[in-house]
Amino acid sequence: MPLILQRLQQATKMMSRRKILLLVLGCSTLSLFIHQGAQLSWYPRLFPLSCPPLQDSPPRPKHMTVAFLKTHKTAGTTVQNILFRFAERHNLTVALPHPSCEHQFCYPRNFSTHFVHPATRPPHVLASHLRFDRVELERLMPPGTVYVTILREPAAMFESLFSYYNQYCPAFRRVPNASLEAFLRSPEAYYRAGEHFAMFAHNTLAYDLGGDNERSPRDDDAYLAGLIRQVEEVFSLVMIAEYFDESLVLLRRLLAWDLDDVLYAKLNARAASSRLAAIPAALARAARAWNALDAGLYDHFNATFWRRVARAGRACVEREARELREARERLLRRCFGDEPVLRPAAQIRTKQLQPWQPSRKVDIMGYDLPSGGAGPATEACLKLAMPEVQYSNYLLRKQKRRGGVRARPEPVVDNPPPRPIRVLPRGPQGH
């Protein structure tokens, strides 16, 4: 017990500006429930967040300007929600699309600053769907902005795209019985380059990153190498959806955030009935062959991801990822009950938490709040599970009410931004 009290005294000094609402002590665990504005914290802050602790370096202030390229069907909505909540807690301006663009920046058109609602300029954070255009983004975002994105294994991603956009993409609509196997057996029979939403049926990652999704590395290796180089010149971190928690550990380290800042609830997930339980190996090979540009991008950045983990310390990153998962489970139980489960939209009573459904053939799941909740804790839980459309609309209304002309965010001169991948040292692969 004296050791626990000693740690409590240390934590109290660290959190002198925060109000501790609930403290639960056990023989071997100590959990905190902290209120800081609308922020709730379940992560045990008595333990150092540096692993191993950085003894010679002073702690960096949190980085406040972030541009997240939200790729399609890669867990990007969950990352977006993390960034939206961080921006709200710190009173940051979030770039949001003009209403004529709906909740995306007029995708699939190349991004332009004209697509940004004037009430959300100049921004600190950007996290909605767009097609990458470096010049236009650098015109919008302040100097020192950190650029990050996320990729997903192309076969799994393509299965998700085929299911989610089956009623929107003409190439998918042409397939008899909505059969993914039939499409991949002969994709050229259904695909028409240049037609509306064609990018969802061929090398979607490359298209989102501003590349030419009609190019094939089989015919032109130099094009893939050039696209990789362009990504590495801009982005400081490329996360990997299959290693989501490890990616968030690297993200929070890159931005000098706390693990609390990257807690999340899984959003925009399909019901089991709307997805393949497992993709057969032959189908996966066909999907990667058809999306060879995406496969090349993924393979390269998956390798650089694990080199980055190795530099950070594999055991250290895995420990933080485990602590993040444990804290997330506590958070979900606190918000959504002892056995939190994803529910079909029809079973979600809270209208603000009902996810958009792309078609009657696809069920998108979400969380619901227990009845009778109120106060800051309920508000924080609501934002944790709020779907993209509702959260974007809410932030737009809030920022329009705030109104007025805001000065362009200034970079923190004594906290230089992390460097893009291209200038990071190359090390041995750690995976």
Side-chain angles (χ1 to χ4, degrees):
M1 184 62 72
L3 177 59
I4 293 178
L5 291 175
Q6 183 181 2
R7 287 183 173 178
L8 177 59
Q9 290 172 351
Q10 294 171 353
T12 304
K13 292 177 182 178
M14 292 169 57
M15 299 178 291
S16 58
R17 296 183 181 180
R18 298 183 175 99
K19 184 179 179 181
I20 301 178
L21 297 181
L22 179 64
L23 183 64
V24 180
L25 288 173
C27 294
S28 60
T29 62
L30 180 59
S31 60
L32 301 176
F33 174 39
I34 303 166
H35 177 255
Q36 181 188 15
Q39 181 182 12
L40 299 179
S41 297
W42 281 265
Y43 185 74
R45 291 172 181 264
L46 301 190
F47 304 100
L49 287 180
S50 294
C51 170
L54 302 176
Q55 312 224 338
D56 299 327
S57 303
R60 289 186 291 139
K62 293 182 181 183
H63 201 89
M64 298 292 183
T65 52
V66 185
F68 171 61
L69 178 61
K70 185 176 186 284
T71 49
H72 287 83
K73 311 314 298 172
T74 58
T77 301
T78 302
V79 179
Q80 178 193 58
N81 179 274
I82 290 170
L83 295 172
F84 279 0
R85 287 183 288 118
F86 182 88
E88 258 207 287
R89 288 195 300 272
H90 294 86
N91 198 31
L92 305 179
T93 300
V94 178
L96 294 167
H98 193 277
S100 61
C101 294
E102 298 182 339
H103 63 283
Q104 306 181 14
F105 288 109
C106 287
Y107 186 91
R109 295 166 63 185
N110 287 353
F111 176 76
S112 167
T113 58
H114 298 298
F115 301 157
V116 183
H117 195 290
T120 69
R121 299 177 62 175
H124 301 83
V125 173
L126 177 144
S128 298
H129 278 304
L130 57 84
R131 189 183 188 207
F132 183 72
D133 186 299
R134 179 176 182 174
V135 173
E136 287 293 296
L137 278 169
E138 288 180 346
R139 285 180 57 197
L140 175 72
M141 301 302 296
T145 295
V146 172
Y147 290 82
V148 297
T149 190
I150 186 168
L151 307 184
R152 182 180 179 186
E153 194 284 314
M157 177 182 168
F158 194 74
E159 185 275 329
S160 183
L161 287 163
F162 187 87
S163 168
Y164 196 88
Y165 293 107
N166 197 270
Q167 301 302 302
Y168 296 91
C169 177
F172 295 158
R173 288 205 307 265
R174 294 187 184 102
V175 183
N177 303 315
S179 168
L180 175 61
E181 184 177 0
F183 178 89
L184 289 173
R185 192 182 305 121
S186 182
E188 294 85 357
Y190 309 105
Y191 179 75
R192 310 282 187 274
E195 68 183 357
H196 194 49
F197 291 147
M199 77 294 302
F200 291 138
H202 195 206
N203 289 315
T204 309
L205 287 175
Y207 186 89
D208 287 351
L209 288 163
D212 181 355
N213 62 317
E214 298 304 324
R215 303 290 284 269
S216 171
R218 291 190 297 269
D219 303 326
D220 186 359
D221 288 339
Y223 182 77
L224 174 59
L227 183 57
I228 288 170
R229 185 166 56 252
Q230 291 172 28
V231 173
E232 291 183 330
E233 287 174 352
V234 177
F235 291 88
S236 296
L237 175 63
V238 177
M239 298 184 285
I240 300 296
E242 285 74 23
Y243 305 98
F244 193 69
D245 293 327
E246 292 83 356
S247 292
L248 292 181
V249 169
L250 294 186
L251 178 67
R252 83 99 191 148
R253 285 163 162 259
L254 177 74
L255 300 175
W257 290 4
D258 300 321
L259 276 180
D260 269 340
D261 294 321
V262 294
L263 287 172
Y264 67 94
K266 188 176 181 179
L267 299 180
N268 209 33
R270 291 174 294 159
S273 59
S274 299
R275 64 179 187 268
L276 290 178
I279 303 174
L283 211 59
R285 287 193 297 271
R288 287 178 62 91
W290 171 243
N291 297 284
L293 201 55
D294 281 2
L297 286 166
Y298 178 85
D299 291 346
H300 174 85
F301 285 106
N302 184 42
T304 63
F305 176 86
W306 288 104
R307 284 198 290 267
R308 189 163 192 148
V309 168
R311 284 197 299 270
R314 179 83 176 250
C316 175
V317 171
E318 289 178 349
R319 192 186 85 179
E320 280 197 22
R322 183 173 62 252
E323 291 170 345
L324 175 62
R325 285 189 287 271
E326 292 169 355
R328 175 178 176 266
E329 289 303 315
R330 292 195 295 273
L331 169 58
L332 294 180
R333 288 195 298 270
R334 174 65 180 82
C335 281
F336 309 117
D338 292 337
E339 295 183 4
V341 292
L342 288 164
R343 305 172 184 275
Q347 297 180 17
I348 298 175
R349 301 182 304 273
T350 309
K351 187 175 181 180
Q352 293 166 288
L353 298 183
Q354 293 173 353
W356 178 74
Q357 305 296 305
S359 74
R360 288 179 293 180
K361 296 182 178 181
V362 179
D363 290 326
I364 303 300
M365 312 285 278
Y367 288 99
D368 201 4
L369 295 175
S371 57
T378 298
E379 179 73 10
C381 293
L382 182 73
K383 301 291 178 55
L384 180 73
M386 188 174 285
E388 175 181 12
V389 174
Q390 289 95 317
Y391 211 154
S392 297
N393 291 339
Y394 163 80
L395 286 176
L396 181 57
R397 291 193 302 269
K398 182 177 181 179
Q399 292 178 169
K400 286 169 70 175
R401 286 196 302 269
R402 187 167 65 189
V405 178
R406 292 178 295 280
R408 184 176 178 86
E410 294 292 336
V412 181
V413 294
D414 59 347
N415 181 29
R419 295 174 296 172
I421 294 171
R422 192 69 184 167
V423 297
L424 292 174
R426 302 277 181 177
Q429 186 170 339
H431 181 72

Short mmCIF file of all heavy atoms in Angstrom, two decimals, residues 253-292:
data_model
loop_
_atom_site.label_atom_id
_atom_site.label_comp_id
_atom_site.label_asym_id
_atom_site.label_seq_id
_atom_site.Cartn_x
_atom_site.Cartn_y
_atom_site.Cartn_z
N ARG A 253 3.04 8.60 -30.27
CA ARG A 253 4.44 8.95 -30.04
C ARG A 253 4.89 10.04 -31.02
O ARG A 253 5.60 10.98 -30.64
CB ARG A 253 5.32 7.72 -30.22
CG ARG A 253 5.24 6.73 -29.07
CD ARG A 253 5.78 5.37 -29.48
NE ARG A 253 6.09 4.59 -28.28
CZ ARG A 253 7.31 4.43 -27.79
NH1 ARG A 253 8.33 5.01 -28.39
NH2 ARG A 253 7.51 3.73 -26.71
N LEU A 254 4.48 9.92 -32.26
CA LEU A 254 4.82 10.92 -33.27
C LEU A 254 4.32 12.31 -32.88
O LEU A 254 5.02 13.31 -33.05
CB LEU A 254 4.20 10.50 -34.61
CG LEU A 254 4.39 11.44 -35.79
CD1 LEU A 254 5.82 11.38 -36.31
CD2 LEU A 254 3.40 11.10 -36.91
N LEU A 255 3.10 12.36 -32.32
CA LEU A 255 2.46 13.64 -32.01
C LEU A 255 2.65 14.06 -30.56
O LEU A 255 2.13 15.10 -30.15
CB LEU A 255 0.97 13.55 -32.32
CG LEU A 255 0.62 13.23 -33.78
CD1 LEU A 255 -0.89 13.04 -33.94
CD2 LEU A 255 1.11 14.32 -34.72
N ALA A 256 3.36 13.25 -29.77
CA ALA A 256 3.58 13.51 -28.34
C ALA A 256 2.25 13.57 -27.59
O ALA A 256 2.07 14.38 -26.69
CB ALA A 256 4.38 14.81 -28.14
N TRP A 257 1.32 12.71 -27.98
CA TRP A 257 0.03 12.62 -27.30
C TRP A 257 0.10 11.55 -26.22
O TRP A 257 1.03 10.75 -26.15
CB TRP A 257 -1.07 12.25 -28.30
CG TRP A 257 -1.41 13.33 -29.28
CD1 TRP A 257 -0.79 14.54 -29.43
CD2 TRP A 257 -2.44 13.29 -30.26
NE1 TRP A 257 -1.37 15.26 -30.43
CE2 TRP A 257 -2.40 14.52 -30.97
CE3 TRP A 257 -3.40 12.34 -30.61
CZ2 TRP A 257 -3.29 14.80 -32.00
CZ3 TRP A 257 -4.29 12.63 -31.64
CH2 TRP A 257 -4.23 13.84 -32.32
N ASP A 258 -0.95 11.51 -25.36
CA ASP A 258 -1.11 10.46 -24.37
C ASP A 258 -1.86 9.28 -24.98
O ASP A 258 -2.57 9.43 -25.99
CB ASP A 258 -1.90 10.97 -23.16
CG ASP A 258 -1.22 12.14 -22.47
OD1 ASP A 258 0.02 12.12 -22.36
OD2 ASP A 258 -1.93 13.07 -22.05
N LEU A 259 -1.74 8.13 -24.36
CA LEU A 259 -2.55 7.00 -24.82
C LEU A 259 -4.04 7.30 -24.71
O LEU A 259 -4.85 6.82 -25.50
CB LEU A 259 -2.20 5.73 -24.04
CG LEU A 259 -1.00 4.94 -24.54
CD1 LEU A 259 -0.77 3.70 -23.67
CD2 LEU A 259 -1.15 4.52 -25.99
N ASP A 260 -4.41 8.10 -23.71
CA ASP A 260 -5.81 8.53 -23.61
C ASP A 260 -6.31 9.18 -24.88
O ASP A 260 -7.48 9.04 -25.25
CB ASP A 260 -5.98 9.53 -22.46
CG ASP A 260 -6.32 8.87 -21.15
OD1 ASP A 260 -6.79 7.73 -21.18
OD2 ASP A 260 -6.10 9.48 -20.11
N ASP A 261 -5.44 9.90 -25.56
CA ASP A 261 -5.85 10.65 -26.75
C ASP A 261 -6.17 9.75 -27.93
O ASP A 261 -6.79 10.22 -28.90
CB ASP A 261 -4.74 11.64 -27.14
CG ASP A 261 -4.54 12.74 -26.12
OD1 ASP A 261 -5.55 13.23 -25.57
OD2 ASP A 261 -3.37 13.11 -25.86
N VAL A 262 -5.76 8.48 -27.89
CA VAL A 262 -6.01 7.60 -29.02
C VAL A 262 -6.92 6.42 -28.64
O VAL A 262 -7.00 5.44 -29.38
CB VAL A 262 -4.69 7.09 -29.64
CG1 VAL A 262 -3.91 8.23 -30.26
CG2 VAL A 262 -3.83 6.35 -28.63
N LEU A 263 -7.61 6.52 -27.51
CA LEU A 263 -8.63 5.52 -27.20
C LEU A 263 -9.76 5.62 -28.22
O LEU A 263 -10.04 6.72 -28.73
CB LEU A 263 -9.18 5.73 -25.79
CG LEU A 263 -8.25 5.35 -24.64
CD1 LEU A 263 -8.83 5.80 -23.31
CD2 LEU A 263 -7.99 3.85 -24.63
N TYR A 264 -10.43 4.52 -28.50
CA TYR A 264 -11.39 4.54 -29.61
C TYR A 264 -12.45 3.47 -29.42
O TYR A 264 -12.30 2.52 -28.65
CB TYR A 264 -10.67 4.30 -30.93
CG TYR A 264 -10.08 2.90 -31.06
CD1 TYR A 264 -10.78 1.86 -31.67
CD2 TYR A 264 -8.80 2.61 -30.55
CE1 TYR A 264 -10.24 0.58 -31.77
CE2 TYR A 264 -8.26 1.34 -30.64
CZ TYR A 264 -8.97 0.33 -31.26
OH TYR A 264 -8.45 -0.94 -31.35
N ALA A 265 -13.54 3.65 -30.16
CA ALA A 265 -14.53 2.61 -30.40
C ALA A 265 -14.52 2.31 -31.89
O ALA A 265 -14.40 3.23 -32.71
CB ALA A 265 -15.92 3.06 -29.95
N LYS A 266 -14.64 1.07 -32.25
CA LYS A 266 -14.60 0.69 -33.66
C LYS A 266 -15.85 1.21 -34.36
O LYS A 266 -16.98 0.97 -33.93
CB LYS A 266 -14.54 -0.84 -33.78
CG LYS A 266 -14.30 -1.34 -35.19
CD LYS A 266 -14.15 -2.85 -35.20
CE LYS A 266 -13.88 -3.37 -36.60
NZ LYS A 266 -13.71 -4.85 -36.62
N LEU A 267 -15.65 1.94 -35.46
CA LEU A 267 -16.77 2.57 -36.18
C LEU A 267 -16.86 2.06 -37.61
O LEU A 267 -15.88 1.61 -38.20
CB LEU A 267 -16.59 4.09 -36.18
CG LEU A 267 -16.55 4.79 -34.82
CD1 LEU A 267 -16.37 6.29 -35.00
CD2 LEU A 267 -17.81 4.50 -34.02
N ASN A 268 -18.07 2.16 -38.16
CA ASN A 268 -18.34 1.85 -39.56
C ASN A 268 -18.04 0.40 -39.90
O ASN A 268 -17.64 0.08 -41.04
CB ASN A 268 -17.55 2.78 -40.49
CG ASN A 268 -18.24 3.02 -41.82
OD1 ASN A 268 -19.47 3.05 -41.89
ND2 ASN A 268 -17.48 3.19 -42.87
N ALA A 269 -18.24 -0.49 -38.93
CA ALA A 269 -17.97 -1.91 -39.14
C ALA A 269 -19.18 -2.61 -39.73
O ALA A 269 -20.33 -2.34 -39.33
CB ALA A 269 -17.58 -2.57 -37.83
N ARG A 270 -18.95 -3.52 -40.67
CA ARG A 270 -20.04 -4.31 -41.24
C ARG A 270 -20.43 -5.47 -40.34
O ARG A 270 -19.58 -6.01 -39.61
CB ARG A 270 -19.62 -4.87 -42.60
CG ARG A 270 -19.46 -3.85 -43.70
CD ARG A 270 -18.92 -4.50 -44.96
NE ARG A 270 -17.56 -4.99 -44.77
CZ ARG A 270 -16.98 -5.92 -45.52
NH1 ARG A 270 -17.65 -6.51 -46.48
NH2 ARG A 270 -15.74 -6.30 -45.27
N ALA A 271 -21.70 -5.83 -40.40
CA ALA A 271 -22.15 -7.03 -39.70
C ALA A 271 -21.51 -8.26 -40.33
O ALA A 271 -21.12 -8.25 -41.51
CB ALA A 271 -23.68 -7.13 -39.76
N ALA A 272 -21.43 -9.34 -39.56
CA ALA A 272 -20.82 -10.57 -40.07
C ALA A 272 -21.55 -11.08 -41.31
O ALA A 272 -20.94 -11.65 -42.21
CB ALA A 272 -20.83 -11.64 -38.97
N SER A 273 -22.86 -10.84 -41.37
CA SER A 273 -23.65 -11.29 -42.52
C SER A 273 -23.35 -10.50 -43.79
O SER A 273 -23.76 -10.91 -44.88
CB SER A 273 -25.14 -11.18 -42.19
OG SER A 273 -25.49 -9.83 -41.89
N SER A 274 -22.64 -9.38 -43.67
CA SER A 274 -22.35 -8.52 -44.83
C SER A 274 -20.92 -8.64 -45.31
O SER A 274 -20.49 -7.86 -46.16
CB SER A 274 -22.64 -7.05 -44.46
OG SER A 274 -23.99 -6.87 -44.09
N ARG A 275 -20.16 -9.60 -44.78
CA ARG A 275 -18.77 -9.74 -45.20
C ARG A 275 -18.39 -11.22 -45.25
O ARG A 275 -19.04 -12.06 -44.63
CB ARG A 275 -17.84 -9.01 -44.25
CG ARG A 275 -17.82 -9.55 -42.83
CD ARG A 275 -16.83 -8.77 -41.95
NE ARG A 275 -16.67 -9.37 -40.64
CZ ARG A 275 -17.37 -9.05 -39.57
NH1 ARG A 275 -18.30 -8.10 -39.65
NH2 ARG A 275 -17.15 -9.65 -38.42
N LEU A 276 -17.34 -11.51 -46.00
CA LEU A 276 -16.82 -12.87 -46.04
C LEU A 276 -16.08 -13.15 -44.74
O LEU A 276 -15.28 -12.34 -44.27
CB LEU A 276 -15.86 -13.03 -47.22
CG LEU A 276 -16.45 -13.02 -48.62
CD1 LEU A 276 -15.34 -13.16 -49.65
CD2 LEU A 276 -17.46 -14.15 -48.79
N ALA A 277 -16.35 -14.32 -44.16
CA ALA A 277 -15.65 -14.68 -42.92
C ALA A 277 -14.16 -14.83 -43.17
O ALA A 277 -13.33 -14.46 -42.34
CB ALA A 277 -16.24 -15.98 -42.36
N ALA A 278 -13.81 -15.36 -44.32
CA ALA A 278 -12.39 -15.51 -44.70
C ALA A 278 -12.32 -15.47 -46.22
O ALA A 278 -13.19 -15.99 -46.91
CB ALA A 278 -11.82 -16.82 -44.17
N ILE A 279 -11.29 -14.83 -46.73
CA ILE A 279 -11.11 -14.73 -48.17
C ILE A 279 -10.26 -15.91 -48.63
O ILE A 279 -9.12 -16.06 -48.18
CB ILE A 279 -10.42 -13.40 -48.55
CG1 ILE A 279 -11.24 -12.22 -48.02
CG2 ILE A 279 -10.24 -13.28 -50.05
CD1 ILE A 279 -10.58 -10.88 -48.20
N PRO A 280 -10.78 -16.76 -49.49
CA PRO A 280 -9.99 -17.90 -49.98
C PRO A 280 -8.68 -17.42 -50.60
O PRO A 280 -8.60 -16.34 -51.19
CB PRO A 280 -10.90 -18.54 -51.02
CG PRO A 280 -12.29 -18.12 -50.64
CD PRO A 280 -12.15 -16.75 -50.06
N ALA A 281 -7.65 -18.23 -50.48
CA ALA A 281 -6.32 -17.83 -50.94
C ALA A 281 -6.31 -17.48 -52.43
O ALA A 281 -5.66 -16.50 -52.84
CB ALA A 281 -5.32 -18.96 -50.65
N ALA A 282 -7.02 -18.25 -53.23
CA ALA A 282 -7.03 -17.98 -54.68
C ALA A 282 -7.69 -16.64 -54.96
O ALA A 282 -7.26 -15.89 -55.85
CB ALA A 282 -7.76 -19.11 -55.42
N LEU A 283 -8.76 -16.33 -54.23
CA LEU A 283 -9.45 -15.05 -54.40
C LEU A 283 -8.56 -13.90 -53.96
O LEU A 283 -8.53 -12.84 -54.60
CB LEU A 283 -10.75 -15.07 -53.59
CG LEU A 283 -11.94 -14.26 -54.12
CD1 LEU A 283 -12.32 -14.74 -55.51
CD2 LEU A 283 -13.13 -14.39 -53.17
N ALA A 284 -7.82 -14.10 -52.87
CA ALA A 284 -6.92 -13.06 -52.39
C ALA A 284 -5.82 -12.78 -53.42
O ALA A 284 -5.47 -11.62 -53.67
CB ALA A 284 -6.31 -13.47 -51.06
N ARG A 285 -5.28 -13.84 -54.02
CA ARG A 285 -4.26 -13.65 -55.05
C ARG A 285 -4.81 -12.88 -56.24
O ARG A 285 -4.15 -12.00 -56.80
CB ARG A 285 -3.69 -15.00 -55.49
CG ARG A 285 -2.77 -15.66 -54.47
CD ARG A 285 -2.01 -16.81 -55.10
NE ARG A 285 -2.90 -17.88 -55.56
CZ ARG A 285 -3.31 -18.90 -54.81
NH1 ARG A 285 -2.91 -18.98 -53.54
NH2 ARG A 285 -4.10 -19.83 -55.31
N ALA A 286 -6.04 -13.21 -56.64
CA ALA A 286 -6.66 -12.52 -57.77
C ALA A 286 -6.91 -11.05 -57.44
O ALA A 286 -6.71 -10.17 -58.30
CB ALA A 286 -7.97 -13.21 -58.15
N ALA A 287 -7.33 -10.78 -56.22
CA ALA A 287 -7.57 -9.38 -55.81
C ALA A 287 -6.28 -8.58 -55.81
O ALA A 287 -6.24 -7.42 -56.25
CB ALA A 287 -8.22 -9.35 -54.43
N ARG A 288 -5.20 -9.17 -55.33
CA ARG A 288 -3.91 -8.48 -55.31
C ARG A 288 -3.38 -8.28 -56.73
O ARG A 288 -2.77 -7.25 -57.04
CB ARG A 288 -2.90 -9.24 -54.46
CG ARG A 288 -3.17 -9.15 -52.96
CD ARG A 288 -2.15 -9.96 -52.17
NE ARG A 288 -0.80 -9.47 -52.38
CZ ARG A 288 -0.20 -8.56 -51.62
NH1 ARG A 288 -0.85 -8.02 -50.60
NH2 ARG A 288 1.03 -8.17 -51.87
N ALA A 289 -3.59 -9.27 -57.60
CA ALA A 289 -3.13 -9.13 -58.99
C ALA A 289 -3.88 -8.01 -59.70
O ALA A 289 -3.29 -7.22 -60.45
CB ALA A 289 -3.30 -10.45 -59.73
N TRP A 290 -5.20 -7.93 -59.49
CA TRP A 290 -6.00 -6.88 -60.13
C TRP A 290 -5.65 -5.50 -59.56
O TRP A 290 -5.67 -4.50 -60.27
CB TRP A 290 -7.48 -7.18 -59.95
CG TRP A 290 -8.42 -6.08 -60.37
CD1 TRP A 290 -9.29 -5.39 -59.59
CD2 TRP A 290 -8.58 -5.56 -61.69
NE1 TRP A 290 -9.97 -4.46 -60.34
CE2 TRP A 290 -9.56 -4.54 -61.63
CE3 TRP A 290 -7.98 -5.84 -62.93
CZ2 TRP A 290 -9.96 -3.81 -62.76
CZ3 TRP A 290 -8.38 -5.10 -64.06
CH2 TRP A 290 -9.35 -4.11 -63.96
N ASN A 291 -5.32 -5.46 -58.29
CA ASN A 291 -4.95 -4.21 -57.62
C ASN A 291 -3.45 -4.21 -57.32
O ASN A 291 -3.02 -3.96 -56.19
CB ASN A 291 -5.76 -4.06 -56.32
CG ASN A 291 -7.25 -3.96 -56.57
OD1 ASN A 291 -7.77 -2.94 -56.98
ND2 ASN A 291 -7.95 -5.07 -56.32
N ALA A 292 -2.66 -4.46 -58.35
CA ALA A 292 -1.22 -4.65 -58.16
C ALA A 292 -0.54 -3.38 -57.65
O ALA A 292 0.43 -3.45 -56.88
CB ALA A 292 -0.58 -5.10 -59.47
#
